Amino acid sequence: MREPGLPPLQLGSVYRSHLVFERLWPEIRDDAASASSAASSSSLSSTSWRRSMLMTSHYQNPGELWTPCINNRLIRPELPPSNGYLMIEANGGLNQQRLSICDAVAVASLLNATLVIPSFHFNSVWRDHSKFGDIFDEEHFIETLKDHVRVVKELPEDVLVRFNHNISSIPNMRTKAYSSPNHYMQKVLPKLQELGAVRIAPFSNRLAQSVPTNLQALRCFVNYQALRFAEPIRILAEDMVERMVKRSTLTDGKYVSVHLRFEEDMVAFSCCTYDGGLKEKTEMENARERSWRGKFHRHGRVINPEANRRDGKCPLTPLEVGMMLRGMGFDNTTSLYVASGKIYNAEKYMAPLRKMFPLLATKETLALPEELAEFEGHSSRLAALDYTVCLPSEVFVTTQGGNFPHFLMGHRRYLFGGNAKTIKPDKRKLVLSFVDPNIRWNRFKRHMQDILHHSDMRGTAIRKPNDSIYTFPMPECMCQQDVMM
């Protein structure tokens, strides 16, 4: 209950989605049945109707085609003698690490340095002790880059002797986020040439978004060609994609993938409240203290769950994702792959989503327990499986931002002619559709169609100065070609 005397809450401030679902579920269920019946009795089969939902991006210009053209921009003479060794420490989850690796290669090229295979910082949230070679194919990485940047697995003995075999004795060139190439040339290069080795730790977002075209092309070359997953990940992930396609027979092997961010740490970090009452509040407080020790209780820190929800900052629940997709027209025969970590209170929150999409799959249902055993406890390796299954999906749905969807959207643009169907809902609009428990299903569907329309309009995009090349590989890494119709 809201305390007496406080002003009334603005629309969209409180989580009521479970009440809306309870009210609308009979209509949702009946709507799927009637749509299937109508489609089967018309000249269009239900299969072709679903195909149009899965495959049509309404705002792609059929006369435009973007194709990768990295190699045209990577021409360089034979590598000159190295100026020394560059060591970096990548932090965060899988795609934060990926970003750091790609940027490190670009910086090494800029400095004409020999890059030492990056080390990974152990993170209290991700809790993954994996090394580079556990996640990525180390030999392929070194071989693919040999004409562009020298890469070694470790510092040579003569350099280690110079620093008494103590890596921490190597100067750490602490660098601000998004530093320019000039910073590296003026501040880091002289020290590299003087000492023969430097470190940069942490190395996360330490290179500017906008750099010369040859460095942008090198970033893409690393991301899309040099970095491939280690063989154990690759073999299982490819099998999972094949199994997902076989499960999607009603849609000709096509499926929708959803990146669902409703893990305990994500819910806790968002400081949003749902429908779990005191139990949820206690669990979230404990999770925040466990992972961020006092960060949320610092003097002056204001936590406002209502404002967070209105501003679209709250993770969507599985129920909300399901209702959104059903409202957009994806029926209960849609094959759905959910990429996620361990969902908070999964038994409760996943049940409605499974109810709406009975053909739902996860890595736990696509792979056998013994196949996943070697990856358990390694969040980055598990994320690599999810990433691989999401990559070829006909539609990708992102619900909370972060490096996973940003890298995936860019990779899909790169692979699929510059435009791959992505649903990125405006959550500030979305929460307003979950306000009224008495809303009618037809009205709710109109709201979802409007959100889908605006999401589609953002499908094809050229990188702007402050955008990431990993999300928007055009135009630096892809070239536009005219297609004769």
Side-chain angles (χ1 to χ4, degrees), residues 51-60 394-395 421 456:
R51 185 184 296 118
S52 68
M53 273 305 306
L54 281 174
M55 301 184 195
T56 304
S57 183
H58 305 292
Y59 302 96
Q60 182 177 6
E394 286 300 318
V395 180
K421 179 86 169 179
D456 278 347

Side-chain angles (χ1 to χ4, degrees), residues 202-350:
F203 191 82
S204 174
N205 296 304
R206 289 305 188 266
L207 182 61
Q209 303 281 28
S210 293
V211 297
T213 299
N214 65 312
L215 289 182
Q216 296 288 46
L218 184 56
R219 279 169 149 173
C220 290
F221 183 73
V222 180
N223 192 25
Y224 303 128
Q225 296 187 36
L227 277 180
R228 74 178 184 187
F229 293 127
E231 188 175 31
I233 295 172
R234 213 163 60 243
I235 290 173
L236 178 56
E238 289 169 0
D239 284 346
M240 289 169 62
V241 171
E242 188 176 332
R243 293 167 194 174
M244 193 66 203
V245 169
K246 287 180 178 177
R247 289 171 65 118
S248 308
T249 54
L250 289 175
T251 46
D252 295 339
K254 311 302 180 184
Y255 58 92
V256 177
S257 63
V258 177
H259 185 225
L260 186 58
R261 293 308 316 270
F262 204 70
E263 304 91 344
E264 184 178 73
D265 67 284
M266 177 56 68
V267 177
F269 188 82
S270 73
C271 296
C272 296
T273 55
Y274 294 90
D275 60 330
L278 181 60
K279 180 176 181 290
E280 175 194 307
K281 182 178 180 180
T282 302
E283 289 172 345
M284 292 302 102
E285 280 288 344
N286 291 340
R288 281 191 282 269
E289 191 58 29
R290 188 166 56 247
S291 296
W292 295 283
R293 290 190 180 87
K295 175 177 180 176
F296 294 89
H297 294 289
R298 290 175 186 165
H299 180 70
R301 177 90 187 218
V302 177
I303 295 176
N304 190 332
E306 292 86 2
N308 288 347
R309 183 164 177 81
R310 290 196 307 273
D311 292 341
K313 295 177 180 178
C314 291
L316 294 180
T317 63
L319 179 152
E320 290 171 323
V321 173
M323 289 190 67
M324 176 186 77
L325 291 175
R326 288 295 292 265
M328 288 176 175
F330 296 95
D331 69 10
N332 61 355
T333 63
T334 302
S335 194
L336 199 69
Y337 180 80
V338 174
S340 71
K342 184 179 179 182
I343 297 296
Y344 170 63
N345 203 350
E347 187 175 348
K348 169 186 174 180
Y349 284 111
M350 286 297 289

Side-chain angles (χ1 to χ4, degrees), residues 338-365:
V338 174
S340 71
K342 184 179 179 182
I343 297 296
Y344 170 63
N345 203 350
E347 187 175 348
K348 169 186 174 180
Y349 284 111
M350 286 297 289
L353 181 59
R354 293 185 186 279
K355 200 172 183 180
M356 288 181 274
F357 291 96
L359 299 181
L360 182 151
T362 65
K363 54 183 169 290
E364 290 80 13
T365 62

Side-chain angles (χ1 to χ4, degrees), residues 20 36 92 94 159 183 222 274 292 376 390 418 421 441 453:
V20 178
S36 177
L94 172 68
V159 177
H183 167 84
V222 180
Y274 294 90
W292 295 283
E376 290 298 338
C390 290
K421 179 86 169 179
W441 177 233
H453 170 82

